[in-house]
Amino acid sequence: EDKVVQSPLSLVVHEGDTVTLNCSYEVTNFRSLLWYKQEKKAPTFLFMLTSSGIEKKSGRLSSILDKKELFSILNITATQTGDSAVYLCAVVEYGNKLVFGAGTILRVKS
Amino acid sequence: DAGVIQSPRHEVTEMGQEVTLRCKPISGHNSLFWYRQTMMRGLELLIYFNNNVPIDDSGMPEDRFSAKMPNASFSTLKIQPSEPRDSAVYFCASSLTQGTQYFGPGTRLLVL
């Protein structure tokens, strides 16, 4: 059965800390991996990763994919309280079907 | 662009009633997805369409759930009859084929 596993399940840090969120996957027909941030409403897109070893970066957030070891990480540096959210990892299979992980709940304390 | 539009945003109904959720995808997107999110089960894919054709409905919980996409700009998810365990947030998302999915604001459903 296809699955996406995220760790840790939850994390509490202080402002300014750096965090690393993990996503490992086992899927039959891997196309790409997506990271989403979900606050109180709908998930919002962060990154799409398709190639191993190429870092995607957006401000304080960055992400990288390892297709050999079947995992991805999402890094957030100099965290802010506005980074508090659930971070979802999803793998895109054939036909654009997404398989989501359970998410990591991040809370940044001021 | 208005993004994915869903209606209603909130729905409270009684057990046994029919519920219809509506979605308008982003113009030009040819794939549409219905998801359900609960605390217990997280985000689950219910069904998705490509070019208005249902491709995979293996996530639809049971026969009480049905979805249609009569044209490229409109889809419905219907629950008949509804049950309390259907209470959840239902998201619609759209994308270009193999592209990033963009989510609507969701419909928060409460079945009493």
Side-chain angles (χ1 to χ4, degrees):
Chain A
E1 182 181 333
D2 295 339
K3 60 180 180 180
V4 177
V5 178
Q6 292 187 243
S7 64
L9 291 180
S10 64
L11 192 57
V12 180
V13 299
H14 288 95
E15 271 191 316
D17 288 350
T18 293
V19 298
T20 298
L21 309 183
N22 304 291
C23 175
S24 64
Y25 61 91
E26 293 178 28
V27 297
T28 308
N29 293 298
F30 177 90
R31 299 279 188 179
S32 60
L33 186 144
L34 307 179
W35 284 97
Y36 287 88
K37 177 182 181 182
Q38 185 174 25
E39 297 173 87
K40 292 185 178 179
K41 300 180 180 178
T44 54
F45 171 75
L46 294 175
F47 296 112
M48 172 187 275
L49 303 161
T50 55
S51 301
S52 276
I54 299 174
E55 185 183 54
K56 292 285 185 82
K57 198 168 173 65
S58 176
R60 296 176 295 101
L61 278 65
S62 63
S63 185
I64 197 162
L65 173 67
D66 186 328
K67 291 168 73 174
K68 182 179 177 183
E69 299 297 330
L70 307 183
F71 78 91
S72 174
I73 60 172
L74 175 69
N75 280 320
I76 309 174
T77 59
T79 52
Q80 303 171 357
T81 55
D83 296 326
S84 297
V86 177
Y87 289 85
L88 296 166
C89 170
V91 171
V92 184
E93 293 188 303
Y94 62 90
N96 214 20
K97 177 179 177 179
L98 259 64
V99 179
F100 277 89
T104 293
I105 302 171
L106 174 65
R107 181 180 166 210
V108 181
K109 297 169 72 172
S110 58
Chain B
D1 196 319
V4 176
I5 298 172
Q6 290 185 247
S7 65
R9 296 292 304 277
H10 302 273
E11 177 85 19
V12 180
T13 191
E14 292 186 340
M15 183 174 65
Q17 297 298 305
E18 177 180 296
V19 175
T20 299
L21 311 181
R22 298 174 176 80
C23 176
K24 177 178 168 55
I26 293 172
S27 178
H29 283 187
N30 58 353
S31 295
L32 183 140
F33 306 79
W34 283 101
Y35 292 90
R36 177 173 67 177
Q37 188 173 39
T38 61
M39 289 292 292
M40 292 298 294
R41 300 175 66 90
L43 200 56
E44 303 173 279
L45 176 65
L46 300 177
I47 184 171
Y48 74 97
F49 296 83
N50 200 42
N51 295 320
N52 312 338
V53 176
I55 302 300
D56 186 342
D57 65 353
S58 58
M60 295 285 262
E62 48 199 271
D63 292 345
R64 297 183 298 105
F65 285 69
S66 62
K68 293 182 180 180
M69 192 165 186
N71 57 62
S73 59
F74 184 66
S75 176
T76 59
L77 177 68
K78 186 175 292 187
I79 309 172
Q80 166 64 17
S82 58
E83 297 181 4
R85 60 193 168 120
D86 302 330
S87 299
V89 181
Y90 290 80
F91 288 107
C92 174
S94 73
S95 75
L96 294 169
T97 302
Q98 305 300 330
T100 302
Q101 292 184 19
Y102 292 90
F103 283 72
T107 294
R108 188 172 296 274
L109 174 65
L110 177 61
V111 183
L112 302 174

